Amino acid sequence: MSENPFLTPSDLPYQLPPFADIRNEHYLPAFEAGMAEQLAAVAAIGADPAEPTFANTVVALERSGQGVFKRVNIAFHNKLSSDTDDELNAIETEISPRLAAHADKILLDAGLFARIEALWRNRAALDLDEQDERLLERYRTEFVRGGAALDAAGKERLAAINGELAELASAFNQQILADINDAAVHVTDLAELDGLGEDQIGAAAAAAKDRDLDGWLITQSNFSRHPLLEDLKDRGLRERLYKATIGRGAGNAATLLRMARLRAEKARLLGYEHFAAYIAADQTAGNAGIIAERLAGLAEASVRNARREAAELQEVIDAEGGDYALAAWDWSYYAKQVRQSKYGFDAEALKPYLELDRVLVDGVFHAAEKEFGLTFEARKDLEGYHPEARVWEVFDDGEPLGLFVGDFFTRDSKKGGAWMNALVVQSDLTGDKPVVVNNLNIVKPPAGQPALVSVDNVTTLFHEFGHALHGLLSACRYPKTSMTSTPRDFVEYPSQVNEMWEDWPEVVANYARHHETGEAAPAELIAQWKAAGKFGEGFASTEYLGAALLDQAWHRLTPEEVPDGGDDPYAVVQAFERKALEDAGIYMPEIAPRYRSGYFAHISIGYAAGYYSYIWSEILDADTVEWFKENGGLTRANGDHFREFLLSKGGSIDPMESYRRFRGRDAEIDPLLERRGLK
């Protein structure tokens, strides 16, 4: 084996991992070395004969995980999500339960917990500043929620549960990616693709060629609603595509049921009624009952709006002489027609003005420069983890700030969806500057063709870069509370705020230019785009809330209430879904939840019982957008204020206190209700 690059710090700028030198064979030995290194450091903390102090216990614990273990852990999980293969999947299967056991060895260490508890009880006398006290609180909370206060039998059972859950999550995620690839729809008759643009047909042809197939291949989306449903005129193909999309997940049914039962048992072991209560207790919401009440209230209004929209779509079908009732695979197609009829907006007419790099550089980066003084320089000399992962150096008023890595195209080796993660975590303690990654799943155009993106892709680019800004602008002392290390129901907030710039006049005028001529998009077309965005909130809210309520339903069960899979676990899961949605008053056969249970990746990667977070964060987002508008919009002064009081703080102080300091008060819900037509 070649020399393991994880065993020493990277000598690349900003400690970017040396991807050119990393091989699959390096991961397991590095994990083993890293875990041993950290456990030795932790053992030394526990064995220290000196009285516990903040420095010799909490700061020492914070430093213990910053070496080999952190380097390999971050690089491995980034590669696993973005560019996996069979060998990496096998490593994940092997290492996941070992990583869970490693964490438990630390969190269940009675001596270490005793030192932390002593400091917590005496915190008023420790002369801690705000960031110090927050770090102590997070460690103490993490240990308590990790089972440190349990008796020996409880600790043993919790460790077993955590190990099995890690194995199940690994299997669940690998099955999702396999299902996405297997559910692609093969088309052999070009006539069936009527309605698609040349770029979409070209991408489908390229996808088929990549798999040695004739004709065209429609690759799958992460969501229940495939984006091409709005363009395909052939109703039969729409139905086939929709059913292939929502038909995924059978292979995950038994895994899901087992995860639900184990999570319910874990919650009970730790003193909670159910797993949703366990999760809510450490979020800004604080209480699962409050979450349930808020979601129920929003669901009623959302379904009412969705039914009104459905009636409009049925009118279009009837007017065209369609002898059928609106079905789920028809919704997007006829919604597009209504938008065109009501607002004159055709998304395909805007698409030639939305070339990926121009949207990114002249839109996303441009807004960040106007708001925060950031500039970006392509670093073609720095290699990413995949040839399509491009690197930019980020400057803050001319001073080096960090690196941004953009990986925008879909591929069979990448999981679905879009996300941000860190490759290097900003910390004043370690002296590390941030390196962040944005991943999207835009369909790659044929060679030599421009990457023209959809309106939804534009929104996602701005959204994910909002997460990137939360990381890049972090100015925190400790890694544990840096960057996006906030509660789940807060972390989506900065990214949602950044979406406001996608159609801000100054920004859209800078990036919405024809990919061939450079001509600006007509003002009328931009106005139609903005106006058309008001239609469809009923569908969007119902689709989202269906998934959020489904997530809550699975995680509000006691161990005894989790259904048994029997001979057909998939049928059991489907029946549970139907009843849960009906009980929540949000079941509509024309609108599937954004994710169904078997391909709901969020519930296996840290968002279990937390998918409500998006709507919760949107309360803060909508209120913040109002603040920006009231104070002059896209100005450096506004950006500096947002940065100083919120983005730079990460999780180093209570996030809601950060919000109050930024806004001058608690958030109000009215702007959200008005935005979604729910007031």
Side-chain angles (χ1 to χ4, degrees), residues 104 107-110 113 143-159 161-162 265-272:
D104 284 335
L107 294 175
L108 299 177
D109 185 313
F113 178 57
F143 271 73
V144 171
R145 290 173 60 80
L150 295 175
D151 61 19
K155 289 180 178 180
E156 183 178 0
R157 179 56 189 153
L158 181 63
I161 290 172
N162 288 340
E265 183 185 352
K266 176 176 178 174
R268 176 178 289 174
L269 193 60
L270 292 168
Y272 293 90

Side-chain angles (χ1 to χ4, degrees), residues 130 134 137-138 280-287 290 294 470 481 483 485-494 496 612-613 615-624 641-642 645-647 649-669:
E130 201 167 38
R134 178 68 174 176
E137 180 273 322
R138 291 319 301 159
D282 198 36
Q283 302 298 311
T284 67
N287 183 289
I290 294 172
R294 176 67 55 79
H470 202 182
T481 56
M483 301 174 77
S485 296
T486 68
R488 285 292 189 189
D489 59 5
F490 186 89
V491 76
E492 294 298 332
Y493 153 54
Q496 290 168 333
Y612 78 92
S613 299
I615 198 79
W616 210 265
S617 296
E618 197 178 345
I619 296 171
L620 306 179
D621 157 38
D623 198 42
T624 297
H641 182 77
F642 191 42
F645 290 101
L646 202 135
L647 294 180
K649 301 302 182 185
S652 65
I653 65 173
D654 175 67
M656 296 309 294
E657 178 59 27
S658 293
Y659 185 84
R660 283 186 286 271
R661 293 178 187 179
F662 156 70
R663 191 67 168 97
R665 58 166 172 75
D666 288 326
E668 296 176 353
I669 196 173

Side-chain angles (χ1 to χ4, degrees), residues 257-585:
L257 292 169
R258 182 62 178 162
M259 284 196 297
R261 184 171 286 108
L262 287 172
R263 285 172 177 160
E265 183 185 352
K266 176 176 178 174
R268 176 178 289 174
L269 193 60
L270 292 168
Y272 293 90
E273 181 183 1
H274 42 60
F275 194 74
Y278 168 74
I279 291 297
D282 198 36
Q283 302 298 311
T284 67
N287 183 289
I290 294 172
I291 295 168
E293 182 180 341
R294 176 67 55 79
L295 292 180
L298 294 172
E300 181 180 356
S302 296
V303 170
R304 184 170 59 247
N305 289 347
R307 293 195 187 285
R308 187 161 50 243
E309 291 169 10
E312 287 189 66
L313 304 187
Q314 187 64 55
E315 287 177 5
V316 177
I317 294 173
D318 295 343
E320 291 184 351
D323 187 22
Y324 51 84
L326 175 72
W329 49 89
D330 298 318
W331 192 295
S332 295
Y333 181 73
Y334 288 103
K336 179 179 179 180
Q337 292 192 34
V338 170
R339 284 195 299 272
Q340 289 176 336
S341 174
K342 275 191 167 184
Y343 307 104
F345 177 62
D346 180 1
E348 286 302 304
L350 183 58
K351 207 169 186 181
Y353 298 91
L354 303 178
E355 191 274 323
L356 172 60
D357 278 7
R358 191 179 283 275
V359 174
L360 178 69
V361 175
D362 295 340
V364 175
F365 290 174
H366 174 73
E369 181 178 7
K370 292 295 182 182
E371 189 177 9
F372 303 113
L374 304 184
T375 53
F376 303 80
E377 179 183 314
R379 291 293 303 266
K380 295 182 180 180
D381 58 314
L382 297 178
E383 186 171 331
Y385 51 84
H386 185 277
E388 292 171 355
R390 295 181 284 162
V391 183
W392 285 264
E393 186 169 9
V394 187
F395 296 89
D396 181 13
D397 282 334
E399 294 298 317
L401 178 66
L403 295 178
F404 171 72
V405 182
D407 183 1
F408 303 114
F409 294 121
T410 190
R411 50 182 174 266
D412 288 351
S413 60
K414 183 193 284 191
K415 75 175 186 180
W419 66 95
M420 169 267 185
N421 58 277
L423 291 175
V424 179
V425 176
Q426 180 275 328
S427 166
D428 293 344
L429 178 71
T430 63
D432 293 337
K433 293 186 175 183
V435 178
V436 301
V437 183
N438 274 176
N439 263 281
L440 276 72
N441 268 280
I442 297 169
V443 176
K444 189 176 181 180
Q449 297 297 312
L452 303 180
V453 300
S454 68
V455 169
D456 285 347
N457 291 151
V458 173
T459 302
T460 304
L461 281 163
F462 277 89
H463 177 97
E464 294 305 329
F465 197 73
H467 285 304
L469 288 169
H470 202 182
L472 288 166
L473 298 179
S474 175
C476 301
R477 186 176 305 145
Y478 301 112
K480 180 176 285 293
T481 56
S482 178
M483 301 174 77
T484 58
S485 296
T486 68
R488 285 292 189 189
D489 59 5
F490 186 89
V491 76
E492 294 298 332
Y493 153 54
S495 57
Q496 290 168 333
V497 169
N498 204 55
E499 294 176 24
M500 74 179 293
W501 308 125
E502 70 171 333
D503 61 1
W504 196 259
E506 177 185 352
V507 178
V508 74
N510 204 53
Y511 74 77
R513 294 183 173 273
H514 199 281
H515 70 96
E516 293 178 335
T517 67
E519 179 184 359
E524 182 182 10
L525 184 59
I526 298 300
Q528 291 167 347
W529 170 31
K530 294 178 71 170
K534 299 174 184 176
F535 178 78
E537 279 296 345
F539 176 95
S541 296
T542 301
E543 177 198 47
Y544 163 74
L545 288 167
L549 286 160
L550 194 56
D551 173 35
Q552 289 290 307
W554 280 116
H555 294 111
R556 292 179 70 88
L557 300 174
T558 65
E560 297 78 16
E561 291 171 338
V562 177
D564 183 85
D567 295 331
D568 191 352
Y570 186 48
V572 170
V573 168
Q574 288 180 305
F576 179 88
E577 283 186 354
R578 173 72 176 263
K579 185 176 187 305
L581 295 172
E582 288 178 341
D583 289 349

Side-chain angles (χ1 to χ4, degrees), residues 35 90-105 159-171:
M35 287 189 287
I91 294 171
E92 183 198 23
T93 300
E94 178 179 347
I95 201 65
S96 291
R98 294 174 64 185
L99 292 177
H102 174 71
D104 284 335
K105 286 178 183 177
I161 290 172
N162 288 340
E164 187 175 353
L165 281 172
E167 292 178 339
L168 292 168
S170 172

